Amino acid sequence: MSRLDIVIAGVGGQGVLLASEIISNVALAAGYDVKKSEIHGMAQRGGSVFSFVRIAEKVYSPIIPAGGADFLLAFEELEALRYAPYLKPQARIIVNTQKISPITVLSGAASYPEDPVEMLKEHFTVYPVDAVSLAKEAGNAKAVNTVIVGMFSVFAGFERRLWKETMKRLLPPKILDVNLKAFELGVSAGERNEA
Amino acid sequence: MKVLLSGNEAVARGAWEAGVKFASSYPGTPSTEILENLVRYPEIYAEWAPNEKVALEAVIGASLSGKRAIASMKHVGLNVAADPFMTFSYTGVNGGVVIAVADDPGLYSSQNEQDTRNYVRAALIPALEPSDSQEALDFTRMAYEISETYDTPVLIRLVTRISHTKTVVETGERTEKEKEPEINPEKWVMLPAYARKRHPLVIERFKRLTLFSESLEINRMEIKDTSIGFITSGVVYQYVKEAFPEASVLKLGMIYPLPQKLIREFVEKVKTVYVVEELDPFLETEIKAAGIPVIGKEVFPRTGEFNPDVIRKSIDRNYRPQTVSFPGIPERPPTLCPGCPHRGVFVALRKAKIRALGDIGCYTLGAIPPLSALHSCICMGAGVSMEHGATTCGMERVVAVIGDSTFFHTGVSSLMNIAYNRSPSTVLILDNRTTAMTGKQPHPGTGETAKGEKTKPVMPEEVAKAFGIERIRVVDPYNVEEFIRVLEEEVSEKEPSVIISRRPCTLITKRPDTVYRVDKELCIGCKRCLSVGCIALKMEDGKAEIDPLLCFGCGICAVECPKDAIVEGKR
Ligand code: SF4
Ligand code: SF4
């Protein structure tokens, strides 16, 4: 791997920031230079949340330029569309098949696109996953982020051991087991896609 | 050990390593986490002050007492602290002082895009600007040496993208540093007679700092292709390196004063030299004033956040990266949380057709459709002062809306003005028992300190009473009808009045068991409830529907329903 640029996007409260924290720490443990950049503040109140993770021998800009990212991990379908301009033409997208209507849609000012996953498939390699169901299967609907991280780990190519060690280090003991399980379910989902 | 630290964490770590003993701040995105991290070091006394002026003055006191100290704030916070900032340049320090200030190019979370560097020029205070977290740590440590050697406070200039980006950092150990208190009236008492003698010393110090900057290793030339070169600093350096990896670069770690000789040397070596910087042409103006030919804002934007593409496009107008985009997809703006107590206030104001002069906090979101119930926002405390001006000039049916933390920040003196000059003003203090916007920091009203210790809470109603305001009402914002009644009484009253809207932020409230649901038989699909702007509400097959997982049970939407179709239910 010479460099890996990842955009992680979702809705406030979905755990985007923890996912990017895990991925960046794994890359650091694997000996790479890493920059992880995100904007918080007003975004937290149910707004769109995103994080850039850049991994390489040497990383300069923390911002991924337009058309530059290799991967998009989208926690929600509309957010997958929103961050598509950051992607390279041959980029891959993992998208949680969940639709959360923003206030603009709820109040009738705009309408939610019919089928975002199909729209994305016209341009990119897309791996849809029902991460909410897998997270519930693992024991907590909130573990959507670790399902997606697990799925991504299949494509990222870092040693399996590093993911588990990093999660043990970063997650509170109370929620560790559920998240490790969610991660495993994500890995299996990823392996099914890769095959 | 190598760790990933954000710029804010790294500044805190650098201050700790430099032996800092005292830290004071007021929360504000993007600088909040500097103090939040300082709180974690047992060797450091760290506090939230009511505002940035108080924070900086406390830090000056700590310095006089011989301790190393740090004040941190966002760019607009330095406006509040500008008064001590300007004169602190004259007194200089005893224990070293760093003032860390974070700008917000692109206005991710601010009311303006001002450039802090203009302040260091006005005050002749030296400034360093890190380009990643390692530098944020190293520069902070170095700043304490500069501060004590040159007898000056030192400003560390950050931007959102540095404050909130984690990069790899090698940390160091702490060295203890302490001095005796400094009692020296000619240095510390800025009477005209003494200050007159200090001003020339400030200018002389500035000259010595300029010399120092010429040989400072954090100002460095990277000579490669000599046909094109960039003079830059901070995070923009990273964008330049990515956009033009083969170009020559003069990277300035110290951004004030500037090493003019070094700059001249660079410009002589390189054919075309660009000065790239976000926001104002600060470096550019300094360099051009010295008669050095460079290109700057002729090609680069003066607003917004930069990235590698902004730099590429500014130099090559034809540069177009290949991208896929989906135009017209719906926005996802931030909104008040389900159950936010502020919503009740705005629904009441809107129903009563009363105008609201606002302030800075979550409640500024009350201006956004569909709520559309807030009519001004300038800066911390301004709503209350503006209310006084507006009502004194005869404007009717207008109130001030200010949060509790903002009230203690600068609203207090504005309210004192209303009480003292007796305007027919009505001030709504939205007391949600926390500083919600920036992430639940305690403030003087919460009865808790930054370190989590118990303290005496200041109650806004007692402050108002002490000022001589007689009409003070405390209302629950979930009770919209009652709120409207109280509003009507107080706006028609000629006496100054205060309405305290009291209910804690949902971030610090247990989720209740009662939620609301829509009785589909009664609902006529008029969509009136949607106008409260709650994400738990939506239309489904022509009828309103409430998501029981998102609903916080406030019942505020029910007030808007003409058919009483929104009823209590169980989760
Ligand atoms: S964080 Fe608190 S104050 Fe801010 S919008 Fe949510 S409930 Fe309201
Ligand atoms: S749906 Fe209605 S009752 Fe429930 S939180 Fe939103 S505004 Fe309050």
Side-chain angles (χ1 to χ4, degrees):
Chain A
M1 185 191 81
S2 63
R3 62 179 313 138
L4 191 57
D5 287 336
I6 313 146
V7 178
I8 309 169
V11 177
Q14 279 193 310
V16 166
L17 305 186
L18 179 62
S20 69
E21 187 74 21
I22 295 171
I23 296 169
S24 347
N25 275 281
V26 167
L28 175 68
Y32 287 95
D33 189 17
V34 190
K35 285 189 178 169
K36 171 184 105 120
S37 182
E38 57 222 10
I39 298 296
H40 18 123
M42 288 213 129
Q44 284 172 341
R45 309 281 161 266
S48 164
V49 175
F50 69 101
S51 176
F52 292 139
V53 178
R54 309 196 78 182
I55 303 167
E57 291 303 326
K58 168 83 189 145
V59 181
Y60 288 107
S61 165
I63 299 181
I64 300 176
D70 305 284
F71 256 101
L72 169 61
L73 314 186
F75 287 34
E76 198 272 345
E77 294 184 22
L78 176 60
E79 296 313 304
L81 292 180
R82 195 182 312 285
Y83 293 95
Y86 284 104
L87 298 178
K88 281 184 184 151
Q90 66 275 27
R92 292 182 280 182
I93 304 175
I94 295 174
V95 53
N96 173 28
T97 51
Q98 189 184 3
K99 294 186 174 75
I100 303 175
S101 292
I103 194 76
T104 44
V105 170
L106 297 172
S107 66
S111 53
Y112 199 101
E114 197 61 41
D115 195 344
V117 173
E118 281 309 310
M119 290 162 79
L120 291 164
K121 276 186 178 163
E122 280 175 32
H123 306 274
F124 305 101
T125 310
V126 185
Y127 308 118
V129 59
D130 180 358
V132 179
S133 297
L134 292 178
K136 279 187 190 148
E137 191 183 326
N140 189 339
K142 284 211 172 121
V144 164
N145 52 1
T146 35
V147 170
I148 293 179
V149 168
M151 201 161 161
F152 172 69
S153 75
V154 176
F155 305 99
F158 301 114
E159 275 178 75
R160 181 69 51 87
R161 162 182 79 79
L162 292 178
W163 293 96
K164 299 219 160 142
E165 283 169 12
T166 303
M167 285 172 61
K168 279 185 194 139
R169 197 155 47 78
L170 294 180
L171 292 170
K174 223 171 56 219
I175 59 165
L176 180 65
D177 283 344
V178 168
N179 279 283
L180 286 174
K181 200 156 166 225
F183 178 85
E184 283 306 332
L185 292 171
V187 169
S188 324
E191 281 166 349
R192 278 197 298 279
N193 271 292
E194 207 194 22
Chain B
M1 196 179 82
K2 279 189 173 171
V3 285
L4 276 173
L5 294 184
S6 71
N8 284 348
E9 290 171 308
V11 167
R13 174 79 195 192
W16 176 79
E17 290 182 10
V20 161
K21 290 235 164 52
F22 183 94
S24 192
S25 178
Y26 180 80
T29 314
S31 64
T32 311
E33 300 82 7
I34 298 176
L35 192 106
E36 286 186 325
N37 279 283
L38 286 163
V39 161
R40 300 195 183 121
Y41 296 107
E43 298 91 342
I44 300 177
Y45 168 87
E47 65 175 21
W48 292 121
N51 66 42
E52 296 84 354
K53 172 173 145 66
V54 175
L56 178 54
E57 289 159 350
V59 158
I60 298 174
S63 168
L64 182 144
S65 86
K67 306 283 194 283
R68 286 188 165 185
I70 182 167
S72 49
M73 59 199 72
K74 67 182 294 178
H75 60 335
V76 288
L78 186 58
N79 297 337
V80 180
D83 200 358
F85 185 77
M86 297 303 291
T87 305
F88 190 25
S89 172
Y90 281 33
T91 65
V93 303
N94 180 32
V97 168
V98 163
I99 304 164
V101 183
D103 283 0
D104 191 17
L107 297 109
Y108 286 105
S109 191
S110 306
Q111 68 270 40
N112 76 24
E113 215 176 5
Q114 71 185 53
D115 190 327
T116 289
R117 298 175 301 169
N118 296 308
Y119 273 108
V120 298
R121 175 152 51 204
L124 296 180
I125 284 175
L128 309 180
E129 180 172 29
S131 70
D132 59 24
S133 301
Q134 183 70 59
E135 288 189 353
L137 189 155
D138 296 342
F139 287 13
T140 304
R141 279 194 79 149
M142 177 189 286
Y144 282 97
E145 300 309 320
I146 298 174
S147 174
E148 288 176 6
T149 311
Y150 288 88
D151 193 3
T152 177
V154 178
L155 187 134
I156 298 278
R157 192 242 189 172
L158 304 160
V159 291
T160 303
R161 196 58 70 175
I162 291 293
S163 286
H164 288 174
T165 295
K166 288 200 174 185
T167 71
V168 183
V169 176
E170 190 98 48
T171 57
E173 289 312 313
R174 177 172 166 98
T175 10
E176 295 295 340
K177 269 275 171 136
E178 211 166 305
K179 293 180 174 176
E180 287 302 310
E182 185 172 49
I183 297 304
N184 178 357
E186 293 193 30
K187 183 169 185 291
W188 286 96
V189 184
M190 287 303 95
L191 279 166
Y194 293 161
R196 222 171 272 134
K197 288 190 195 139
R198 295 293 304 176
H199 196 186
L201 295 179
V202 170
I203 291 161
E204 191 260 332
R205 176 184 76 200
F206 178 78
K207 287 187 185 143
R208 282 187 291 128
L209 280 162
T210 306
L211 269 182
F212 170 71
S213 77
E214 296 288 355
S215 57
L216 191 61
E217 69 281 9
I218 62 170
N219 293 329
R220 65 162 195 265
M221 284 202 262
E222 298 171 7
I223 301 292
K224 289 174 130 181
D225 175 358
T226 54
S227 68
I228 176 168
F230 296 89
I231 300 174
T232 188
S233 70
V235 72
V236 182
Y237 163 79
Q238 309 287 0
Y239 305 148
V240 167
K241 291 298 278 187
E242 177 145 337
F244 290 92
E246 293 312 317
S248 296
V249 177
L250 171 58
K251 180 186 182 300
L252 300 170
M254 185 160 183
I255 51 165
Y256 200 72
L258 288 183
Q260 296 288 6
K261 268 206 217 113
L262 187 69
I263 292 169
R264 219 174 271 280
E265 200 186 310
F266 181 76
V267 173
E268 275 159 16
K269 284 197 166 103
V270 179
K271 197 159 151 268
T272 311
V273 177
Y274 294 93
V275 178
V276 214
E277 52 193 323
E278 286 172 325
L279 305 177
D280 293 348
F282 176 82
L283 304 173
E284 180 185 340
T285 306
E286 292 284 318
I287 294 167
K288 283 185 174 166
I292 304 170
V294 288
I295 307 166
K297 295 297 175 184
E298 297 92 328
V299 298
F300 299 109
R302 261 194 87 150
T303 59
E305 187 184 38
F306 284 12
N307 59 48
D309 283 343
V310 168
I311 298 171
R312 285 193 192 105
K313 281 183 199 156
S314 302
I315 290 178
D316 172 7
R317 298 273 154 199
N318 297 318
Y319 178 79
R320 286 277 172 285
Q322 218 198 340
T323 60
V324 175
S325 61
F326 301 95
I329 61 165
E331 296 287 308
R332 191 185 297 277
T335 41
L336 295 177
C337 304
C340 177
H342 301 336
R343 182 176 284 105
V345 176
F346 289 123
V347 169
L349 284 166
R350 195 173 59 182
K351 275 191 128 22
K353 298 200 171 55
I354 291 171
R355 305 279 178 213
L357 305 178
D359 244 286
I360 311 274
C362 282
Y363 49 94
T364 319
L365 295 173
I368 299 177
L371 269 173
S372 315
L374 194 78
H375 306 94
S376 78
C377 164
I378 306 280
C379 65
M380 301 281 284
V384 182
S385 322
M386 285 172 68
E387 165 77 0
H388 173 72
T391 56
T392 302
C393 291
M395 187 169 170
E396 285 180 355
R397 297 187 74 77
V398 60
V399 298
V401 167
I402 188 166
D404 46 351
S405 188
T406 314
F407 174 70
F408 292 118
H409 180 278
T410 29
V412 173
S413 37
S414 309
L415 185 66
M416 202 191 309
N417 192 36
I418 288 174
Y420 169 47
N421 287 305
R422 303 314 286 180
S423 60
S425 297
T426 300
V427 175
L428 273 53
I429 301 173
L430 312 192
D431 187 3
N432 65 1
R433 317 303 303 153
T434 190
T435 317
M437 184 88 234
T438 47
K440 302 186 278 187
Q441 290 75 20
H443 60 64
T446 61
E448 200 181 285
T449 68
K451 289 263 188 191
E453 282 146 17
K454 289 272 158 281
T455 180
K456 272 209 173 300
V458 185
M459 298 310 277
E461 53 268 48
E462 281 163 24
V463 174
K465 196 165 147 224
F467 287 167
I469 293 178
E470 274 141 30
R471 302 192 64 93
I472 300 166
R473 316 282 292 266
V474 182
V475 191
D476 178 358
Y478 276 11
N479 191 344
V480 177
E481 267 128 27
E482 161 82 0
F483 213 105
I484 294 174
R485 256 194 312 280
V486 172
L487 272 171
E488 287 295 352
E489 281 168 31
E490 298 307 330
V491 291
S492 52
E493 183 56 51
K494 290 284 163 250
E495 281 281 296
S497 58
V498 166
I499 303 172
I500 291 163
S501 158
R502 180 156 293 139
R503 185 174 272 273
C505 165
T506 62
L507 297 179
I508 54 170
T509 310
K510 209 180 140 278
R511 187 165 272 282
D513 287 330
T514 341
V515 291
Y516 281 74
R517 62 177 184 84
V518 177
D519 186 329
K520 301 266 174 178
E521 299 291 306
L522 295 174
C523 177
I524 52 166
C526 69
K527 300 188 184 172
R528 289 258 293 270
C529 53
L530 298 186
S531 73
V532 305
C534 175
I535 55 164
L537 276 158
K538 65 170 174 203
M539 295 303 287
E540 194 76 51
D541 304 324
K543 306 259 172 174
E545 193 173 282
I546 293 175
D547 182 338
L549 291 175
L550 291 174
C551 178
F552 210 81
C554 68
I556 292 165
C557 49
V559 179
E560 291 289 351
C561 181
K563 293 284 166 195
D564 292 330
I566 298 178
V567 293
E568 262 187 47
K570 280 264 164 261
R571 187 174 298 283

